[in-house]
Amino acid sequence: MAYPNTKETINLLKEIVSIPSPSGNTNEVITYVEKFLNELNVETKRNRKGGLIASLPGKDQNRHRMLTAHVDTLGAIVKEIKPSGRLKIDLIGGFKYNSIEGEYCEIETSSGNKFTGTILMHQTSVHVYKDAGKAERNQENMEVRIDEKVHNEEDVRALGIEVGDFVSFDPRVKTTPAGFIKSRHLDDKASVAILLQLIKQLKTENIELPYTTHFLISNNEEIGYGGNSNITPETVEYLAVDMGAMGDGQSTDEYTVSICVKDASGPYHYELRKRLVQLAKDNGIGYKLDIYPFYGSDASAAIRAGHDIVHGLIGPGIDSSHAFERTHEDSIENTAKLLYHYVQSEMVL
Ligand SMILES: [Zn+2]
């Protein structure tokens, strides 16, 4: 039995992280995913929120399964054009200003023009500012330096840049000889690449799934409501594929698939969690059970929205999440293997 090809998944991941998609401005990346699926002869439809749903009919069409991963990322939006010609920004999603200090970025105007810039502390130059190191990293002190000859607010507006323009961060994606993938937005584009590669595998091998299975590529997860809609009434199991959180006291690592038992929303469905563990054990897949303290997923968002479903959460382990993220190809591979077996397994109910 062949598993989804990890090298191909990583190449796909590199392409997806390189398409800017802060929550609220995801059309370009959704179009990319749509094209990828349509070329595999998988029909897709968009929901009104701008997410994408692909459905594979299964033997049992009366009971459905849904898997989701989110393609939206952290980002920022222009809040103010300063008299100096620098931009004040407002953050999209949950992270701190220190994690974007010095980052290259792209500003997209509402007419689609793109300008590059750098996110800096106003007091960056040590030759001028004494308190450069101690000043707080916050909205007041951090700004975007646009790579254009702009001296004031009028110059910036003349470029077409306005309040409300989206700002995306350079992913700086790199793979290393030891098998690591370093990039921003591995949360959750690593999982999107894994799901797309899984669909490709199922199609090319003509594998018929036991149940009709929907794949939702959601586009509003970072702001809390990506995958809480478009769940068919027939859906019994709903699995979110999203990053495993690493840090002190966490068992998740960059080499295994992380199976979440509980996050800030409470425990995930006990029977589904046990089934996922059993599938990992039966197939020699490296896994870790874990609790994510400050975390919610599209599966918990779906439960909160009132859907009566069996919900679960698994994903690759991501170090330094919402900042300078890294994972390893082993984690991608173990997550892909578990998903491959999961979509072909019996439901818990
Ligand atoms: Zn995520």
Side-chain angles (χ1 to χ4, degrees):
M1 166 196 53
Y3 283 118
N5 184 312
T6 302
K7 285 270 170 291
E8 268 187 44
T9 307
I10 291 168
N11 287 337
L12 184 58
L13 170 57
K14 282 174 147 177
E15 291 195 30
I16 299 172
V17 293
S18 303
I19 303 170
S21 57
S23 311
N25 187 16
T26 55
N27 185 50
E28 189 182 347
V29 76
I30 287 286
T31 302
Y32 176 92
V33 172
E34 192 172 52
K35 189 160 168 274
F36 178 94
L37 291 169
N38 295 348
E39 277 168 9
L40 294 171
N41 288 321
V42 175
E43 264 184 59
T44 56
K45 63 169 192 276
R46 290 190 188 209
N47 59 18
R48 295 187 189 99
K49 291 192 273 190
L52 194 74
I53 304 140
S55 303
L56 301 180
K59 277 193 201 94
D60 183 343
Q61 311 209 343
N62 298 317
R63 300 197 311 146
H64 297 182
R65 201 172 237 159
M66 192 165 209
L67 285 85
T68 187
H70 68 90
V71 81
D72 62 311
T73 70
L74 307 175
I77 197 159
V78 176
K79 183 183 181 299
E80 225 174 284
I81 301 169
K82 296 184 177 183
S84 62
R86 303 274 172 113
L87 305 174
K88 188 187 262 197
I89 54 171
D90 203 42
L91 304 184
I92 300 170
F95 61 107
K96 303 279 184 265
Y97 278 90
N98 63 290
S99 69
I100 52 168
E101 183 173 2
E103 191 56 275
Y104 289 168
C105 65
E106 190 177 83
I107 306 130
E108 187 186 320
T109 70
S110 56
S111 55
N113 288 332
K114 291 174 179 181
F115 297 95
T116 63
T118 305
I119 300 163
L120 294 163
M121 278 293 282
H122 177 75
Q123 308 88 327
T124 292
S125 177
V126 291
H127 303 98
V128 178
Y129 300 100
K130 237 176 151 174
D131 66 343
K134 277 181 276 169
E136 210 186 321
R137 273 59 191 156
N138 59 19
Q139 189 175 51
E140 241 11 82
N141 290 335
M142 291 189 78
E143 59 191 18
V144 175
R145 178 185 68 195
I146 310 167
D147 300 325
E148 292 290 329
K149 286 185 176 174
V150 288
H151 307 285
N152 51 45
E153 199 180 326
E154 291 69 42
D155 291 348
V156 175
R157 288 217 150 86
L159 294 173
I161 294 176
E162 247 314 331
V163 171
D165 287 352
F166 282 92
V167 176
S168 53
F169 313 139
D170 188 342
R172 293 192 287 167
V173 58
K174 262 198 167 57
T175 46
T176 77
F180 289 100
I181 304 121
K182 301 198 288 184
S183 179
R184 283 189 187 272
H185 314 318
L186 293 177
D187 168 19
D188 186 29
K189 290 180 167 178
S191 308
V192 171
I194 292 168
L195 285 188
L196 292 181
Q197 199 63 28
L198 172 66
I199 296 170
K200 184 175 174 185
Q201 176 93 1
L202 297 171
K203 285 298 281 186
T204 48
E205 290 190 4
N206 273 319
I207 296 170
E208 196 191 3
L209 296 176
Y211 310 96
T212 293
T213 302
H214 309 283
F215 294 85
L216 169 63
I217 305 302
S218 89
N219 68 331
N220 284 304
E221 193 276 346
E222 293 294 359
I223 47 177
Y225 52 81
N228 65 358
S229 63
N230 309 94
I231 301 165
T232 61
E234 294 87 356
T235 298
V236 179
E237 288 186 5
Y238 182 109
L239 184 69
V241 188
D242 206 340
M243 51 149 281
M246 291 171 55
D248 290 344
Q250 295 298 100
S251 55
T252 298
D253 59 32
E254 292 165 282
Y255 312 108
T256 54
V257 53
S258 185
I259 300 173
C260 185
V261 301
K262 175 185 180 292
D263 66 14
S265 69
Y268 283 83
H269 196 282
Y270 195 20
E271 293 309 314
L272 179 55
R273 182 248 280 194
K274 288 194 283 189
R275 172 66 53 84
L276 291 162
V277 168
Q278 197 56 49
L279 286 169
K281 281 184 177 163
D282 291 348
N283 296 286
I285 297 163
Y287 74 94
K288 292 279 161 58
L289 288 169
D290 215 348
I291 293 169
Y292 311 152
F294 310 112
Y295 194 111
S297 71
D298 267 342
S300 51
I303 289 277
R304 281 226 167 82
H307 293 280
D308 180 23
I309 45 172
V310 168
H311 74 315
L313 169 63
I314 67 166
I318 306 290
D319 187 60
S320 299
S321 51
H322 283 196
F324 305 98
E325 297 174 350
R326 191 182 77 167
T327 191
H328 192 271
E329 60 190 26
D330 291 352
S331 195
I332 303 276
E333 184 151 308
N334 281 311
T335 305
K337 284 180 175 175
L338 182 53
L339 287 167
Y340 179 80
H341 291 288
Y342 170 67
V343 294
Q344 297 179 73
S345 68
E346 290 295 306
M347 286 199 201
V348 296
L349 293 182

